[in-house]
Amino acid sequence: MSNTLELAQALIQRRSITPDDAGCQDLMIQRLEAIGFQVERLRFGDVDNFWARRGQSGPLFCFAGHTDVVPTGPESEWTHPPFEAVVADGQLHGRGAADMKGSLAAMIVACENFVAAHPDHKGSIAFLITSDEEGPADNGTVKVMEWLEQRQEAIDYCLVGEPSSTDRVGDIIKNGRRGSLGCVLTVKGIQGHVAYPHLARNPVHQAAPALAELAATQWDNGNDHFPATSFQVSNIQAGTGATNVIPGHCEVVFNFRFSTETNEADLRQRTEAILDKHGLEYTIDWKLSGHPFLTAEGELVEAAQKAILNTTGKPTQLSTAGGTSDGRFIAPSGAQVVELGPVNATIHQVDEHTNAAELDTLERIYTDTLKHLLAE
Ligand SMILES: [Zn+2]
């Protein structure tokens, strides 16, 4: 049986629902120490993380990923039990098969193969692994990056194993992600009787034209890598439930998904200028969940593209679509970052699965990427 498949099964059989690692990292560490990696376990709060490195010199290539998985939902709805790692009709079934224990297995086996063929490779290979990617992500990758910065260890190339592919493994590489900026806006009015509006101030009437202007604003035009920044209202709440009361306040929740043509400070300033122009009395609470990042070109993108072509005979496409990922914590350090992993069609779903043969393809893509960057 395939080494990668066997390891992926062993990882799936460990029930590592966020933030519980359930021994997945022990298993990975054992395999990495056996081929000469120095490992540092880093527990922050209730989260297990580790940093492993083989080599002292640069460039530093890092595989990044997570051992935690999302909950299964009702296990009775699964065709195959979610933690048994059953292979049926060429598909590996189980929670984490695609997101992202299959990738973790492929990374480890790729390193074993690469190190066997190139024991004196150039630079260094590293692993940055967390068990809190699917949860709050406060004690995971972000903390390991702070720890690395204190040690003045800088990643040059980072390959995140998130399931980036759409129809077949390697058809899509994510070379960036949009930023996400959320906001809770509370517009204050004066509550009163609808029959005596001169004694009240209606916050819905005041908020509406300001929201219309925010929704109609062209924040930027995007660029070659990103679509234009979008503003979306997700919630509006006001009113007491009574039909004869003007509400005292109106709460609006909205979110920006933004390109590299703008930034947090610019969006905040332009939003507040519009609110001020409309004369609103308001409080505002901003929350940035990720800066946009982009690795437009460079050795890492080139190496991954070549590796995919060599391995599958087919070209790949670069994309920045989709939600946020831990790449947002790594890219600000200046590292080149790409996400390259299995097909994402069933991630977070009941009956999550991945094509078992494609895990071997993924392992060969990873091995070939290492060769392009670090073969002596
Ligand atoms: Zn994931």
Side-chain angles (χ1 to χ4, degrees), residues 198-241:
H198 56 288
L199 300 177
R201 197 175 77 223
N202 193 321
V204 178
H205 293 193
Q206 289 201 301
L211 292 181
E213 184 168 344
L214 289 168
T217 298
Q218 184 75 30
W219 301 92
D220 59 41
N221 295 308
N223 54 33
D224 286 351
H225 304 282
F226 289 95
T229 293
S230 88
F231 165 91
Q232 291 295 321
V233 173
S234 59
N235 290 268
I236 299 186
Q237 262 153 1
T240 60

Side-chain angles (χ1 to χ4, degrees), residues 66 99-100 133-134 162-163:
H66 59 90
D99 185 11
M100 55 176 279
E133 195 273 346
E134 303 285 11
E162 288 296 344

Side-chain angles (χ1 to χ4, degrees), residues 43-78:
R43 191 170 165 91
F44 300 115
D46 57 356
V47 176
D48 287 313
N49 307 280
F50 78 84
W51 171 253
R53 179 167 177 161
R54 184 181 200 277
Q56 302 298 323
S57 57
L60 173 53
F61 175 97
C62 177
F63 283 114
H66 59 90
T67 51
D68 60 317
V69 296
V70 293
T72 59
E75 292 199 22
S76 57
E77 289 181 13
W78 286 65

